[in-house]
Amino acid sequence: MNKRFIIYGILLAVAAVLLQVLQYKLVLVNHSLELYGGILAAIFTLVGITAGKRFAGKKEILIEKQVPVYINAPARHPFELNDKALEKTGISKRELEILELMAAGMSNQEIADKLFVSIHTIKTHTSNLFLKLDVKRRTQAVTKARALQLIA
Amino acid sequence: MNKRFIIYGILLAVAAVLLQVLQYKLVLVNHSLELYGGILAAIFTLVGITAGKRFAGKKEILIEKQVPVYINAPARHPFELNDKALEKTGISKRELEILELMAAGMSNQEIADKLFVSIHTIKTHTSNLFLKLDVKRRTQAVTKARALQLIA
DNA sequence: TCCCCATTCATACTAAAGTATGATTTCGCT
DNA sequence: AGCGAAATCATACTTTAGTATGAATGGGGA
């Protein structure tokens, strides 16, 4: 957060200096207001675009994905349950990701390869996951996570 | 896509007009270059920010929201499916029993205790089970067995 | 009867999983 | 500016899982 303000500030400062330089050079040459204005406009448009990109970077786009729910299955509120359980357990998104791969039957090494991290990282995550789920083994974790609707 | 360019073009045109107006008004008042430059800078910064937001707005975080679609569940014949798969794989009843306990998250030792046999026996069974299911790990076995409707 | 096969047990080994601990980095929040 | 959470990596260790191999028993079918 700080960095952005600093960078933006520096950009503004540079622009201000440029402004001064342009003024000195162009004041001597009369009737060059158009050129001056054009250059100014271009510079600040670029600055603005940069700033705009920076501050617009947090928009979230919702994509609705249709998922079949069989009506003679027990009625569920999948995501509410999901979110509640997630909050309650304090499981992070990375941990959830690993949990899903675990449920698919992948070994720690395979998960590590798939996520481009070391097996140590996976082990750390799984250990924390087991604490949060209050289980001792990955099979238990999968079973419990399924029961809690954390995973499909 | 077209709309944005059109809008941006119109904005530029408006800005150009403003530029001209400012020039005519300020040319009369000498030495107002600073004011002129400042106003110009402000305007084009705003324009730039707007443009920046527009064109940067697409690379953002995608959040998938799953929307349930209710469908009638296909009628099932649980036991027939079960038996077919059992025959095909050649899994014995003892092995199936162990598979279920495995799916419940129990360790080999716990299964052995529950069934009053040694852990060696469980290991033998699980090894054979993995061969018959063509898997390498117990988590895979559970996942595959679930897919084959061998277990709940 | 004899053989097949499911079940059981065992030893010895390799591989994977899980625990404990600590360090680093990045990011958001206050 | 500092703090805490999340994510990463690492070392060292213990435990559990899984493989290979061999063997004993007992029931049911050719």
Side-chain angles (χ1 to χ4, degrees), chain A residues 65-84:
Chain A
K65 209 175 181 180
Q66 295 199 336
V67 172
V69 173
Y70 299 104
I71 58 175
N72 59 0
R76 288 176 195 163
H77 304 282
F79 269 88
E80 290 166 24
L81 272 177
N82 209 311
D83 290 347
K84 269 188 194 168

Side-chain angles (χ1 to χ4, degrees), chain B residues 3-66:
Chain B
K3 283 182 185 175
R4 287 180 187 165
F5 282 109
I6 291 169
I7 291 171
Y8 190 59
I10 290 172
L11 280 175
L12 275 181
V14 170
V17 171
L18 274 174
L19 208 97
Q20 289 303 116
V21 172
L22 279 172
Q23 270 184 232
Y24 277 112
K25 291 214 167 180
L26 293 171
V27 153
L28 302 175
V29 185
N30 267 348
H31 304 302
S32 60
L33 261 180
E34 272 97 351
L35 181 60
Y36 174 61
I39 292 175
L40 249 193
I43 289 174
F44 279 93
T45 299
L46 285 177
V47 170
I49 286 176
T50 305
K53 280 186 181 173
R54 273 285 142 72
F55 294 119
K58 280 188 170 181
K59 297 171 185 173
E60 306 313 336
I61 312 157
L62 294 183
I63 293 187
E64 289 185 350
K65 183 169 190 174
Q66 300 201 355

